[in-house]
Amino acid sequence: MLRGEHVMARVLRGRLVPHRLPTSDRRALDVAAELSGLYAAHRDRPRAELEERLAAAEEELGPRLDPRRGFRIVRALGKLLEERSGWAAPTPADPYTVRTRVFELAAAMPELPSEEVGLLEAPTRDEVLSRVARETGLEDPASVMYADRQGAQLLGAFEEPAPEELLGRYNVAQVQGVLYGARELTVDLGREADARLVFHYVKLMDLIYRLETTGRGYRIHLDGPLSIFGGTRKYGLRLAKFLPGLLLTAPWRLSAAVEWRGRDTTLELDSESSDLASHYRGPREEGREVNEAFVRAWERARDTGSWEMEPGPGVLPLPELKTALVPDFSLRHAGTGEVAHLEVLGFWSERHLVDRVALLREARRRGHRFLIAASEKLGAAPEVLAEAAGGEVVPFKNRLEVKAVLRALGEDAAPDV
Amino acid sequence: MIELRYDSGTLIASGEAPPPEPFVWDGRTRQWRAPANAYRNTMLGLRGSGTPHEDRAARFEKLSLESRVSLEPRPYQRAALAAWRRKDLRGVVVLPTGAGKTAVAVRAVERVGRSALVVVPTLALLKQWYSVLTDAFGGSVEVGLLGGGYHEVTPLTVTTYDSAYIHAERYGDRFALAVYDEVHHLPAEKYAMIPKMLLAPYSLGLTATPERPDGGHALLPELVGRICYRLSPEDLAGTYLAPYELIRIPIELTAHERYEYAQADAIYRDFLRKHNLSMRSPEDWQRFILVAATSHSGGREALLAARRRREIQSGALRKGVTLESLLRRHWNDRCIVFTKSVEEVYAISARFLIPGITYETPARERKEILDRFREGRYRTIVASDVLNEGVDVPDANVAIILAGSASHREYVQRLGRILRPKDGKQAVLYELVTSQTNEEFASRRRREAAV
């Protein structure tokens, strides 16, 4: 994430265009490589020295890259590299103890300890320091006095990015930076997008959403609790942290009301043209194979009664819980139009399971029909699950059979597939 | 029956009947919602009308606080506190720098006897308040810190405006009293959100200068309460503020430095002239670097010359020697050295073996240094800007300024540091300025602005 002062954008007819470094830009790639190299070559050296080098690089590389904004670009890239670094203390001694002792001894002298040995036999600086050296066993106490300052830390780990990766990260970070000033974010999520993932990040960032159904999917308005009392930029930072979560899926369009340098502007992006890549790893999803196998089995099945699988699962809003339940699959009965949702519980951790089951129960309470396919490896007995979630449970071993699901849906006559 | 709950900086009401203003229906989550600071009036209203209600929002704690420090309140401090109590524990107290605003707040915290949050503008003040509150109440309650790398929230917590803006919604149900130090910072768009996220029915604002050039002070009554007590510096002068003597010491460059400076200066000015550059603001400096870095002829030299110039200015040999002689002369006084930069603090600290305080200094160490300074175990300390804005160092009687930046406010407040009342104490303020360089200009501007 960038600091506010690194963020750059221009306004084109009310539209906000965040600054961008094309990953094909030779000069930008060179600068990125040079800066990464600076970091990589600095392992085990103090931070203050690196900062000096970076400041020099700013003045040298910056203007060549962009006459007006070069400084800031270089500084911003430096900030992103800093996030990939780990720092270590330069000495095992405790600088606080050392300096406190030095100050105490010095203050106890009848006169200011002088730097030079004079004729008057006044106390000297060396006297104080060598006494501390004897007491602590340190060779040079003066050099340890402030070794706990940030600038004295040594660069330990550094994860060197490829130049393209750094520029990609920069481009996302600039969009995020623009979002710091956002009052509201509206996301149009296509039906094929992973809504479950999106709501995972909505919940994680503690945002409040409003959901509308559109022809192509869903429209989600995002802001925070205080926003209803007049738009506030308070939740901009969270919206910015939400963005890379959204980037993990597609298709989407987003529009944000952003206050930029005192002007009301709009930021608009879409997954087709934005060319932004997420650096989030995404939530750990366990047992996706079961779901994929089930989709294949469903497609191969000769007869699924009159049940059809929806192209994307439904989104069941649970506003009081500040989230929405996105099941694994939604099935629709062609004849009656009835919709049943299917949730596959694979090899889940207990905490996840408890959370998920609470959501399922809540959704059922609102009249949604749910089937729960529970793996035997889950460790929870089907009866217990049925009780906890208040719904029908379809147990499965290694693969979830289409037949078993149809049977639970009431298609008793389902033929073998 | 109305039930109140706290939810991320807001207040949620549920029950059969719709709750009173300023609750609004939040269609997003299907709840009645109000900003958290509606708590005071809502509770007063519910109690007044005898409406059955249940308060599940407030998580304040009663604290039995008794100050360990015996503060002999000055008459105006007592009057300020009384005025605040008459306004039902909501309002702004205006006292000049050096009049002991902190003491008023300590009394207020003691008086309310419930969990309190103190909000301050800078990390230096965060640490200063930590130490004052620990001194006063450390026996009965652990003082918490939120901001500047600290995240320990206790029933008596100090935080910064920036951290409060981010975190208030997580802890806004825990404090009955909010104290805003330098409250003139509060009416900014961001910071004005802080009181809205706090249930705190009681609030106290402190400042020497409530008026804001943008007119924002008009919001103070809504955010903290009206001004309930006000005292001007003239009301105090002579009686409580110690007089001081200002001694300005020009630092001449040595012959060698002067020669080097003139050379560097010539190269630098030449370049400015050639490229039609002026040098009046920080942006001008940016432009200069830009032009110099892209220029093919003489740019690099101009950059180096500019740097060398600055080095000579700030590192003037005589400045160090003069400082040394002043420190020696005042070895038996309580002396504070102010520097322009953090790096200078560390350089002086290591050179003269005197404790340094900057914004980097951890809260506990900072308190220890200042305590020892007060006790006389340390004779001299060196600090960067961190001792500005109302930091209390009561026993200092000598201050040495090593060329600060040209800012009116900063200068006055630095003077304020040693303007602490102490019987018959003659305070001395030295200002060391390198002559014939642009530091002289900064110093002149500072003094003119101070008049």
Side-chain angles (χ1 to χ4, degrees), chain A residues 8-54:
Chain A
M8 290 174 280
R10 68 206 155 92
V11 182
L12 259 182
R13 286 179 231 101
R15 296 278 160 79
L16 196 57
V17 185
H19 186 255
R20 207 184 149 80
L21 292 171
T23 40
S24 54
D25 181 340
R26 202 57 255 168
R27 280 184 310 170
L29 287 168
D30 287 347
V31 168
E34 199 154 332
L35 289 172
S36 304
L38 214 60
Y39 261 85
H42 206 77
R43 281 210 188 89
D44 300 324
R45 312 239 9 107
R47 191 169 184 140
E49 203 179 292
L50 179 62
E51 273 160 15
E52 254 171 56
R53 299 243 165 107
L54 286 171

Side-chain angles (χ1 to χ4, degrees), chain A residues 99-236:
Chain A
R99 64 177 172 260
T100 304
R101 186 67 187 136
V102 168
F103 300 145
E104 269 178 354
L105 284 176
M109 295 291 173
E111 277 177 55
L112 176 75
S114 67
E115 287 195 274
E116 286 141 36
V117 183
L119 295 171
L120 298 173
E121 291 181 22
T124 64
R125 184 173 179 272
D126 279 345
E127 257 174 70
V128 173
L129 290 175
S130 52
R131 179 151 165 212
V132 176
R134 276 199 305 280
E135 285 176 10
T136 57
L138 291 167
E139 208 170 295
D140 181 9
S143 72
V144 177
M145 271 173 75
Y146 285 113
D148 53 350
R149 291 188 65 202
Q150 217 185 37
Q153 294 173 335
L154 306 180
L155 179 60
F158 174 64
E159 214 186 302
E160 188 173 357
E164 294 79 7
E165 187 189 350
L166 181 58
L167 296 191
R169 179 75 199 91
Y170 174 90
N171 293 334
V172 173
Q174 285 292 354
V175 178
Q176 287 184 288
V178 157
L179 284 174
Y180 298 163
R183 297 174 194 281
E184 190 198 28
L185 179 67
T186 304
V187 179
D188 280 329
L189 206 59
R191 204 169 286 283
E192 310 82 59
D194 187 347
R196 187 160 172 160
L197 180 87
V198 172
F199 279 98
H200 167 80
Y201 285 103
V202 169
K203 177 86 179 159
L204 194 65
M205 299 309 158
D206 203 9
L207 293 162
I208 291 193
Y209 74 91
R210 260 181 311 129
L211 185 76
E212 293 164 22
T213 313
T214 63
R216 291 186 188 158
Y218 301 95
R219 170 166 292 185
I220 310 167
H221 301 272
L222 294 170
D223 53 17
L226 285 161
S227 306
I228 43 162
F229 308 109
T232 167
R233 292 183 284 170
K234 163 128 183 67
Y235 305 106

Side-chain angles (χ1 to χ4, degrees), chain B residues 342-403:
Chain B
V342 170
E343 291 312 315
E344 213 173 351
V345 169
Y346 289 105
I348 288 171
S349 169
R351 175 166 171 187
F352 298 111
L353 309 184
I354 55 179
I357 295 182
T358 70
Y359 70 89
E360 293 177 16
T361 313
R364 281 168 191 86
E365 183 179 358
R366 178 196 160 90
K367 173 164 162 41
E368 186 183 87
I369 291 173
L370 290 174
D371 284 349
R372 289 181 174 188
F373 181 66
R374 266 181 220 113
E375 293 161 14
R377 281 172 75 184
Y378 290 151
R379 300 159 185 264
T380 301
I381 52 179
V382 52
S384 56
D385 285 352
V386 291
L387 291 186
N388 272 331
E389 286 225 37
V391 174
D392 204 359
V393 188
D395 287 335
N397 62 335
V398 177
I400 303 170
I401 298 182
L402 298 175

Side-chain angles (χ1 to χ4, degrees), chain A residues 59 67 99 107 223 233 238, chain B residues 28 169 189 290 307 379:
Chain A
E59 292 181 5
R99 64 177 172 260
D223 53 17
R233 292 183 284 170
R238 292 190 211 163
Chain B
R28 304 170 303 173
E169 64 202 353
E189 187 197 332
L290 170 65
R307 246 182 240 155
R379 300 159 185 264

Side-chain angles (χ1 to χ4, degrees), chain B residues 262-279:
Chain B
Q263 272 201 327
D265 197 54
I267 297 173
Y268 165 71
R269 289 196 184 281
D270 220 45
F271 188 85
L272 291 187
R273 208 166 20 247
K274 221 161 75 189
H275 293 265
N276 255 328
L277 295 163
S278 64
M279 196 54 65

